[in-house]
Amino acid sequence: MRRSRAFQTFKRKYVWVFFVAPAVVVLLGIVIFPLIFSLSLSLHEWNIIRAGGWNWTGLDNYAMILFMDPYFRTALKVTFLYLAGTVPVQFALGLAVALILYRITRKIIGFLRTSLVFPSIMTPIVVGIIWRLMYNPDMGMLNYFLKLLGLPPVNWTGSPLSALPSVMMADIWEWTPFMALILLAGLQALPKEPYEAAIVDGASAGQVLRYITLPLLSPVMIVAILIRLMDSFKTFDLIFVLTGGGPGMSTEILNYYTYRYGFKFFHMGYASALSWLLVVTVTVIALILIKTMRSRGIYAAGG
Amino acid sequence: MDRKRCMKVLLSILAATVLMVGAVLPVFAVDIRDIIKVPPGFKFGTYTRKPWSGTTINVAMVAEPRSDAIAKVANEFERLTGIKVNFHVLAYPTLQEKQMVTLTQGTGAYDVVHVDCVWVGQYAGEGWTIPVEELILRTDHNTLALDDFIPAVVSEQGMWEDRIFGLPCIQAVFGLHYRTDIFRKYNVKVPQTWDELRDTARSLNLKEPGVYGITFMGRRGVQLQCTYDNMIWSFGGEWFDENYRPTVNSREAVEALEYFKSLVPYAPPGVLTYDWDENANAFAQGRAAMTIQWQNAAPTFYNPEKSRIIGNHAFTLVPGVRQPDGSIKRTPTFGGWSLQIPKDSRNKEAAWEFIVWASSPELDPRLAYSQPGSRFSGLEDSAMQRKYIEYKGMLEGLPIAKGRPRIAPYSELADALEVALSEAMTGSKSASRALREANSKFEFILKRWGFLK
């Protein structure tokens, strides 16, 4: 009897282990372990091509990246330009689209919503190839339309000035709907009372937007921006298909640069150090955003 | 006393023997005679006996037409030898990755690997593949016909530090494709020097509506670099000198790049986004009077589904630089593959039997429809020359072709150079500045790999 009761207590006390364990194991296996592995790798020199395994080099990889590698700074600059050129535009357009869609209450909304997500659910490589065809300077659709309007053709991905904006344009096309959908969901979840109060007080539409909708929506906005920001940092497929980092280094963002070091030149330690720098940068930016969110007294769902 | 002396002598003799054996043993330890097992009197390539009947070998090959063509007739090989062949025909990057992983891990997954000429230093130099002289000695001369291969091809694709590691399979060389109808109409001669090439491009540019003077592969990448290699070498430049000191910022290199850039005005507006496909298509669609391209674009030009210029194009040597003695120095860029046997293969003998069969002179003409071979007999054949327009130009180009550096950091060096070329061609930096930066990057890379102190 006593033993069985002890077993019962044990079961009640520790049964959670069985529920939590699978998740913990999976997390350990696919997140924590690779993180630690790559951190340790980043402190070694290891080139797959060469015989001989890992050679301890301490912080050499990081020092080399930060102080010797002439292209790292270029890649970093391109990355930040890319972020600055895509996320804010996606946000502004996404917000506008969300506000418009919010007004539409007729049945067509279902159709609109579905067609809106198409760019975001397409395989990124397909998006890249479609845009590559459109950007083709001789046979592409975009230059055809420019010609119809009597404008000179643009060498979209071929010239160092227009290559990065061209990639940004494809990115904006692909991810604005995602932004719009999140913001639309946020709008639809807003409480009705403040709006009713505003109507009673005789607020104009502009005032309602400025003083009620936007402040109430800001937690969702920050989350949406955060997700896109982290995603943009990791952009790879568009660059890979559209420009391959060229012309020169004009579209070589950090993630692509890291890929080349890892899988083209096989400097695994160096590539790991590069990815760790990427992780640190993204984390710092995310922390700053979350902090401003908290300090303004904005609550985020689950945060 | 006597005994002691005796011991001393004995000991010293023993020590000497041990030393001698120790010194000689390592030489034998890596000798292939320990690894391969061939029945006495057996000759590869005669197909009179089938000692490896029932074995299955795994062959990795790059996804190019000739690989598919070989796979298609592999049942004949099985009939001749009883050896079954599993083909792994893989796209370039996948092949590179998979072969590298299996060879460094020593899994023995592949019995035959396909080696790009720029990987030879890595595969043979790092000891991933085995030298095959002992196998060659045991091979029927008529089936192997080693002297029928173009020597430059064998040494560039199959040899490393004076040893043979494999036989050529798939061949490429740069040359000039030009439109015979346009050249005839405007009475233009085929350009022999780079200056003549530019003059011809200028004079033919847009003479016919929509037909530019020249087109080439200008997108940042390996093709841009290979095109430039034709120029830098003939101008007298090199990537680095014999001590691995980078020289890619030399006067000759800058001159070559400035020359290359001066072709842009006579090319289609999008030329700096062209890779292999775009460039071949542009020429096949009749958008240019000339193109500097590998010979392997020619099949696109005589393919009725893809080409509008059938019967109106020819292939010849790349132009060069006129030397003080009046001769012209031409350095067509060279590319190609060889079949090699990994150290960890468990069926080395069967693998060699396959390599000999796949590159035999009998099979060569039957594979010609896919891609040209590397043999004099095939390229010289007048019937084949009539059928395949590029053969004559290849026969001229291959013996004088020049290979890219084959050291392990090749792809990293190439990438640094490609960035500089692209920057200079698009005009975002001057040729001298771009190459100066590439040179310091070269130094950084060569130091890291230990080539440069």
Side-chain angles (χ1 to χ4, degrees):
Chain A
M1 271 309 271
R2 231 176 122 191
R3 194 185 241 178
S4 127
R5 185 172 305 150
F7 180 67
Q8 288 286 332
T9 341
F10 175 82
K11 216 167 90 182
R12 215 172 306 134
K13 242 180 169 172
Y14 294 109
V15 70
W16 58 272
V17 170
F18 296 96
F19 294 107
V20 177
V24 171
V25 168
V26 167
L27 265 182
L28 276 177
I30 66 172
V31 179
I32 310 292
F33 171 71
L35 269 179
I36 294 171
F37 183 85
S38 67
L39 183 62
S40 132
L41 184 51
S42 76
L43 301 173
H44 289 81
E45 195 245 297
W46 179 40
N47 193 319
I48 301 184
I49 298 176
R50 294 239 130 152
W54 298 22
N55 295 318
W56 173 261
T57 55
L59 292 171
D60 272 11
N61 281 332
Y62 292 97
M64 220 192 285
I65 293 170
L66 293 174
F67 306 114
M68 282 174 70
D69 190 336
Y71 291 145
F72 172 70
R73 255 159 273 173
T74 322
L76 198 65
K77 205 176 80 192
V78 172
T79 310
F80 278 106
L81 274 176
Y82 191 76
L83 287 184
T86 52
V87 179
V89 179
Q90 282 163 2
F91 172 71
L93 286 175
L95 186 63
V97 171
L99 286 171
I100 294 170
L101 282 186
Y102 184 54
R103 292 292 172 82
I104 301 173
T105 43
R106 280 196 231 130
K107 260 214 165 135
I108 195 160
I109 184 76
F111 168 74
L112 286 178
R113 251 192 327 232
T114 315
S115 51
L116 194 67
V117 283
F118 264 120
S120 301
I121 58 171
M122 257 198 253
T123 318
I125 284 290
V126 175
V127 173
I129 291 171
I130 292 174
W131 279 90
R132 184 169 173 173
L133 290 175
M134 295 213 288
Y135 282 141
N136 185 311
D138 308 316
M139 298 165 255
M141 209 168 85
L142 289 177
N143 272 356
Y144 172 77
F145 283 123
L146 283 183
K147 210 160 115 194
L148 282 189
L149 294 172
L151 293 168
V154 176
N155 194 353
W156 297 98
T157 55
S159 112
L161 286 179
S162 60
L164 191 59
S166 301
V167 181
M168 287 177 186
M169 198 146 94
D171 190 284
I172 291 167
W173 177 82
E174 188 182 357
W175 291 111
T176 297
F178 172 80
M179 213 51 137
L181 277 185
I182 293 190
L183 293 174
L184 181 62
L187 278 176
Q188 282 165 343
L190 292 185
K192 294 275 174 295
E193 293 82 5
Y195 289 94
E196 286 159 5
I199 293 169
V200 172
D201 291 346
S204 70
Q207 282 170 325
V208 170
L209 180 70
R210 169 71 186 82
Y211 294 107
I212 298 178
T213 310
L214 293 185
L216 281 179
L217 200 60
S218 57
V220 181
M221 292 200 245
I222 298 237
V223 169
I225 290 178
L226 204 60
I227 293 177
R228 274 310 304 148
L229 214 58
M230 293 194 281
D231 246 13
S232 262
F233 246 104
K234 296 184 292 184
T235 306
F236 173 80
D237 20 55
L238 276 180
I239 306 274
F240 183 81
V241 178
L242 278 176
T243 61
M249 292 282 288
S250 57
T251 57
E252 179 113 2
I253 76 169
L254 211 48
N255 203 19
Y256 192 74
Y257 189 63
T258 309
Y259 152 79
R260 290 198 303 128
Y261 260 98
F263 297 102
K264 289 227 143 136
F265 313 149
F266 305 103
H267 293 294
M268 288 302 171
Y270 199 76
S272 298
L274 276 169
S275 11
W276 265 91
L277 286 176
L278 200 77
V279 167
V280 169
T281 324
V282 175
T283 315
V284 167
I285 292 178
L287 283 180
I288 292 172
L289 263 178
I290 291 172
K291 205 157 190 194
T292 48
M293 186 162 88
R294 287 245 169 90
S295 67
R296 282 199 190 164
I298 303 166
Y299 62 91
Chain B
M1 198 59 193
D2 242 20
R3 243 180 88 192
K4 230 176 188 177
R5 218 200 200 139
C6 217
M7 274 300 273
K8 236 181 188 169
V9 171
L10 250 166
L11 265 176
S12 51
I13 290 174
L14 198 76
T17 326
V18 167
L19 267 177
M20 256 174 67
V21 171
V24 176
L25 206 62
V27 178
F28 283 114
V30 292
D31 197 299
I32 193 162
R33 269 169 284 193
D34 293 348
I35 309 168
I36 56 158
K37 287 175 186 63
V38 182
F42 177 81
K43 281 263 179 196
F44 288 98
T46 51
Y47 312 121
T48 45
R49 283 195 273 167
K50 302 181 178 179
W52 300 287
S53 183
T55 334
T56 302
I57 57 170
N58 287 292
V59 175
M61 288 187 104
V62 70
E64 296 233 15
R66 198 173 172 96
S67 307
D68 296 326
I70 292 174
K72 226 177 250 171
V73 289
N75 55 344
E76 294 176 21
F77 176 70
E78 197 181 340
R79 216 166 40 238
L80 286 172
T81 62
I83 300 166
K84 209 178 148 340
V85 186
N86 263 346
F87 281 94
H88 305 260
V89 178
L90 304 164
Y92 190 99
T94 325
L95 180 85
Q96 185 177 21
E97 240 164 69
K98 280 205 162 174
Q99 288 190 165
M100 198 172 282
V101 170
T102 54
L103 294 192
T104 48
Q105 303 301 315
T107 58
Y110 296 130
D111 299 301
V112 175
V113 285
H114 215 178
V115 182
D116 188 346
C117 57
V118 290
W119 302 344
V120 172
Q122 219 178 82
Y123 280 64
E126 300 281 334
W128 297 354
T129 51
I130 58 162
V132 293
E133 294 94 352
E134 285 297 324
L135 291 161
I136 288 176
L137 290 177
R138 292 177 173 79
T139 308
D140 178 57
H141 171 75
N142 294 323
T143 321
L144 182 65
L146 205 53
D147 49 359
D148 188 26
F149 284 115
I150 296 172
V153 166
V154 178
S155 70
E156 195 64 29
Q157 279 161 225
M159 292 180 71
W160 183 252
E161 290 177 345
D162 300 330
R163 303 202 66 176
I164 302 188
F165 284 81
L167 299 181
C169 175
I170 295 185
Q171 207 50 63
V173 65
F174 256 90
L176 179 72
H177 298 267
Y178 63 96
R179 288 279 298 278
T180 46
D181 52 340
I182 296 180
F183 272 55
R184 213 176 301 122
K185 183 170 173 191
Y186 295 99
N187 199 16
V188 185
K189 278 212 267 321
V190 178
Q192 300 299 320
T193 65
W194 292 116
D195 290 333
E196 286 173 28
L197 179 80
R198 183 172 49 204
D199 293 342
T200 314
R202 186 192 300 129
S203 71
L204 292 178
N205 193 31
L206 297 175
K207 271 272 173 62
E208 300 279 312
V211 182
Y212 292 87
I214 190 165
T215 172
F216 52 83
M217 299 175 280
R219 186 191 193 81
R220 176 186 144 187
V222 64
Q223 304 296 0
L224 173 66
Q225 167 240 326
C226 288
T227 313
Y228 171 69
D229 287 335
N230 288 297
M231 296 166 193
I232 176 174
W233 293 327
S234 57
F235 273 77
E238 285 287 346
W239 289 30
F240 42 72
D241 64 15
E242 62 271 29
N243 300 319
Y244 297 105
R245 200 159 299 288
T247 56
V248 80
N249 64 343
S250 66
R251 193 172 48 82
E252 293 83 5
V254 175
E255 246 173 54
L257 183 49
E258 272 163 0
Y259 167 78
F260 194 7
K261 198 184 163 186
S262 71
L263 295 176
V264 175
Y266 317 117
V271 74
L272 296 181
T273 63
Y274 286 2
D275 211 353
W276 195 100
D277 287 325
E278 285 96 343
N279 187 50
N281 280 336
F283 190 69
Q285 291 301 313
R287 293 180 48 83
M290 298 183 283
T291 180
I292 313 173
Q293 164 96 302
W294 300 101
Q295 106 285 335
N296 60 17
T300 310
F301 305 153
Y302 47 70
N303 177 353
E305 280 165 27
K306 292 180 183 163
S307 174
R308 290 191 191 171
I309 56 166
I310 294 172
N312 290 325
H313 65 98
F315 177 72
T316 184
L317 283 172
V318 284
V321 174
R322 195 174 292 283
Q323 302 297 301
D325 65 355
S327 66
I328 294 171
K329 181 181 180 189
R330 305 178 209 245
T331 52
T333 308
F334 177 96
W337 298 74
S338 64
L339 293 174
Q340 301 189 7
I341 306 173
K343 192 176 65 184
D344 53 13
S345 157
R346 282 180 284 270
N347 306 302
K348 296 192 176 64
E349 304 81 9
W352 178 250
E353 189 82 291
F354 171 78
I355 293 176
V356 169
W357 171 80
S359 53
S360 64
E362 284 98 327
L363 202 60
D364 193 36
R366 293 176 51 208
L367 302 174
Y369 75 92
S370 60
Q371 259 166 337
S374 326
R375 292 182 172 279
F376 281 117
S377 58
L379 295 172
E380 274 170 351
D381 189 292
S382 57
M384 299 253 275
Q385 280 188 359
R386 266 195 304 281
K387 202 164 167 195
Y388 307 111
I389 290 153
E390 70 271 27
Y391 270 42
K392 208 155 166 272
M394 275 188 90
L395 189 61
E396 293 165 351
L398 278 173
I400 57 168
K402 188 169 155 74
R404 288 156 280 158
R406 301 188 295 169
I407 52 177
Y410 159 77
S411 61
E412 206 173 337
L413 293 171
D415 182 81
L417 181 57
E418 286 152 21
V419 168
L421 295 177
S422 173
E423 280 170 345
M425 295 293 283
T426 53
S428 59
K429 278 178 193 161
S430 73
S432 60
R433 190 174 149 215
L435 287 176
R436 204 165 52 237
E437 288 177 10
N439 207 64
S440 56
K441 183 92 201 213
F442 267 42
E443 214 176 298
F444 173 76
I445 296 165
L446 288 166
K447 267 191 190 143
R448 166 150 48 182
W449 283 83
F451 283 92
L452 203 60
K453 286 285 158 309

